[in-house]
């Protein structure tokens, strides 16, 4: 009986091969295997890309945080500048007043020095004619003694 079943199986196999049914089934199975392999490769590639995507998302998040921090710093700087504007204006006014006071003192010192220089010059001019007369008298005394 077993031989009869084996013979029947072989006969059916030959009929399927000759009719092309077995070939189509094999092709279909092969195509399914290729499709599964491609899908598995796609999943594998996606799994490989996940770490890159995680890193890129972390970098993006860090860049956004840095940009937000920069904005906050700029806002803080602007607030500090606004807070110190009146103080800066007062300091500028005080500096201007000090500079004007120093300029006045310098001008007064220059005037005093010029007056002193004029006085010294006048004294020298008064002494020069007197020394010239003294030299003339001294020369006359020498001439009369000789």
């Amino acid at each position: 009986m077993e031989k009869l079943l084996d013979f029947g199986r072989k006969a059916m196999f030959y009929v399927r091969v000759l009719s092309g049914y077995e070939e189509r089934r094999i092709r279909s199975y092969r195509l399914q295997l290729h499709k599964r392999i491609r899908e598995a490769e796609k999943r594998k590639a996606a799994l490989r890309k996940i770490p890159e995507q995680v890193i890129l998302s972390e970098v993006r998040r860090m860049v956004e945080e840095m940009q937000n921090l920069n904005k906050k710093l700029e806002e803080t700087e602007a607030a500090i500048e606004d807070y110190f504007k009146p103080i800066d204006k007062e300091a500028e006014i005080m500096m201007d007043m000090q500079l004007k006071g120093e300029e006045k003192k310098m001008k007064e010192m220059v005037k005093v020095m010029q007056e002193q220089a004029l006085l010294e010059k006048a004294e020298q001019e008064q002494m020069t004619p007197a020394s010239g007369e003294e030299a003339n008298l001294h020369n006359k005394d020498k001439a009369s003694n000789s």
Side-chain angles (χ1 to χ4, degrees):
M1 182 75 180
E2 238 179 83
K3 284 187 180 183
L4 186 63
L5 283 176
D6 274 344
F7 179 76
R9 284 184 194 142
K10 285 182 183 178
M12 284 299 292
F13 179 73
Y14 289 129
V15 168
R16 285 188 304 203
V17 168
L18 290 174
S19 68
Y21 173 78
E22 196 65 29
E23 188 178 342
R24 286 190 299 271
R25 197 174 129 218
I26 291 171
R27 274 192 204 146
S28 171
Y29 183 70
R30 197 173 116 234
L31 288 173
Q32 285 177 350
L33 284 177
H34 279 294
K35 187 176 179 182
R36 286 182 190 169
I37 289 172
R38 276 190 245 124
E39 288 175 359
E41 287 175 352
K42 286 180 183 178
R43 278 185 261 138
K44 192 175 178 182
L47 288 174
R48 285 184 186 157
K49 286 184 180 181
I50 287 176
E52 293 174 8
Q53 292 171 347
V54 169
I55 291 170
L56 288 174
S57 66
E58 283 294 315
V59 168
R60 283 188 197 109
R61 187 182 57 78
M62 288 175 61
V63 167
E64 288 173 0
E65 287 178 3
M66 290 174 68
Q67 288 173 343
N68 290 335
L69 183 64
N70 281 341
K71 286 179 186 177
K72 287 180 183 177
L73 284 173
E74 289 173 0
E75 291 171 359
T76 305
E77 285 177 1
I80 290 171
E81 286 178 10
D82 289 343
Y83 181 78
F84 284 110
K85 271 185 184 178
I87 296 171
D88 287 343
K89 286 181 182 177
E90 289 178 18
E92 189 176 330
I93 291 170
M94 290 176 65
M95 293 277 291
D96 286 343
M97 290 174 59
Q98 286 179 347
L99 286 173
K100 286 178 183 177
E102 288 178 10
E103 283 181 29
K104 285 181 183 178
K105 286 181 184 177
M106 293 283 284
K107 286 179 182 177
E108 289 176 8
M109 287 177 62
V110 167
K111 283 181 184 178
V112 169
M113 289 179 69
Q114 285 176 348
E115 289 175 4
Q116 193 173 11
L118 286 174
L119 287 174
E120 287 178 5
K121 187 176 179 183
E123 286 178 11
Q124 284 180 354
E125 285 178 0
Q126 287 177 357
M127 294 191 88
T128 9
S131 62
E133 289 176 12
E134 287 177 14
N136 285 340
L137 288 175
H138 186 50
N139 287 339
K140 286 183 183 177
D141 284 339
K142 282 186 182 179
S144 53
N145 283 339
S146 320

